[in-house]
Amino acid sequence: MHAFANPTRFLKLASWLTPLLLVSGLVLVALSLVWGLFYVPPDRLMGETVRILFIHVPAAWLGMGGWTAIAISSLVYLVWKHPLAALAARASAVPGMVFTAICLATGSIWGRPTWGSWWVWDGRLTSMLVLLFLYAGYIALAQASARDGGSYKIPAIFGLIGAINIPIINRSVVWWNSLHQPPSITVGKSAIDLAFLVPLLIAVLGFSLLFGGVVLARMRALLADFQAEARLRRKAMEAA
Amino acid sequence: MIRENLNQWDFVVAAYVVGIAGTLAMAVWAWQTMRSAEKRRDKVRGKVRDKVTRK
């Protein structure tokens, strides 16, 4: 891991990995969504609306995964002071927030025909909404600290504290009464029929690859901005 | 259990439009901001290099 903390080595790796992740992710997402939309049978209880599963579940997984990435990168930054870890945390915030918003929107659309309501204030939905607000707060904090040229310490601490919400989201359907169904996939077990499980796993893999590609693209953009600013500052100092 | 007479496909299509549009917009935005940031960095580096060479 320490080897990749070198920006030159990182850029060498990211230059070919970014388009590879984005293209392979898009291909798998397209495949899984076409499969889910046209080739999966309707569910006995949920009917045709079961097809929303192939967007809603990967979005939920990546909404939580994005914050997990922020927390791990923040911890690495605080312990080893790797600047690339700070960039990785900042780069995970926007895609994590987008997927959290997609999860909430598609969940709301799914809730209307199945629960009879667009929104209910239960544990799962509320904790997911809190995650969206945490992302907004984190992005504002990280941008403010970058603009002021300050340390990344405060956003990193915020990222670690916010991680408390991840196990709350995960266990919310077990701890509290909820309209939301309990987890269908746990470690080594699945209550989902293979007809739904296979395209779902392809969708999760495709969206995850796409997420990885977007995070790498964001890291490269943030690194390039930082390098350009540093060069301009040095130039100005030399001229003065 | 579906009690109302709603067209389920309307909800499926709405969810797919939201999901696909959001994901594609994010991927295109991330790619374009990366390309423009790297172009800007290379331009800044190039200008500095030109001046050093001229000196």
Side-chain angles (χ1 to χ4, degrees), chain B residues 1-16:
Chain B
M1 186 70 75
I2 314 291
R3 292 197 182 89
E4 287 175 284
N5 191 20
L6 298 169
N7 183 355
Q8 295 184 3
W9 277 103
D10 291 347
F11 294 91
V12 173
V13 170
Y16 272 63

Side-chain angles (χ1 to χ4, degrees), chain A:
Chain A
M1 191 180 67
H2 289 262
F4 295 110
N6 179 323
T8 313
R9 221 171 269 173
F10 163 76
L11 283 175
K12 209 174 168 185
L13 181 76
S15 63
W16 61 268
L17 199 54
T18 312
L20 180 73
L21 289 177
L22 286 173
V23 172
S24 57
L26 281 173
V27 169
L28 286 181
V29 165
L31 173 76
S32 65
L33 295 187
V34 169
W35 190 341
L37 206 52
F38 301 112
Y39 298 103
V40 161
D43 180 67
R44 187 171 59 89
L45 290 173
M46 287 185 278
E48 304 291 353
T49 61
V50 74
R51 300 174 201 285
I52 298 173
L53 180 84
F54 306 108
I55 288 203
H56 179 72
V57 171
W61 152 256
L62 290 169
M64 291 192 285
W67 198 279
T68 308
I70 289 176
I72 292 170
S73 306
S74 299
L75 186 68
V76 170
Y77 173 77
L78 288 171
V79 175
W80 288 292
K81 297 271 178 278
H82 284 325
L84 274 185
L87 284 187
R90 280 190 65 193
S92 305
V94 171
M97 187 179 179
V98 169
F99 279 117
T100 304
I102 290 174
C103 168
L104 285 166
T106 54
S108 177
I109 292 167
W110 202 357
R112 180 65 187 88
T114 50
W115 300 343
S117 172
W118 295 101
W119 183 264
V120 283
W121 290 100
D122 81 342
R124 172 57 66 91
L125 278 74
T126 309
S127 55
M128 207 65 195
L129 185 65
V130 168
L131 181 65
L132 185 75
F133 295 149
L134 284 172
Y135 272 120
Y138 176 85
I139 290 168
L141 205 56
Q143 276 183 349
S145 79
R147 193 176 47 235
D148 300 341
S151 147
Y152 180 71
K153 239 181 200 168
I154 293 171
I157 292 167
F158 183 80
L160 280 178
I161 293 171
I164 294 168
N165 193 38
I166 300 301
I168 294 175
I169 296 171
N170 186 261
R171 304 309 295 165
S172 58
V173 284
V174 179
W175 289 342
W176 299 297
N177 285 327
S178 173
L179 277 175
H180 196 285
Q181 65 176 69
S184 306
I185 302 174
T186 48
V187 182
K189 279 184 189 172
S190 165
I192 302 179
D193 188 86
L194 271 182
F196 301 103
L197 186 63
V198 175
L200 177 61
L201 291 178
I202 295 173
V204 168
L205 178 65
F207 275 106
S208 301
L209 292 175
L210 201 58
F211 184 93
V214 169
V215 169
L216 282 184
R218 292 294 305 134
M219 282 181 78
R220 284 171 61 179
L222 291 168
L223 187 61
D225 279 340
F226 180 79
Q227 288 172 329
E229 291 302 321
R231 183 59 69 105
L232 285 172
R233 226 175 294 134
R234 205 181 313 153
K235 211 175 122 188
M237 280 170 73
E238 281 168 7

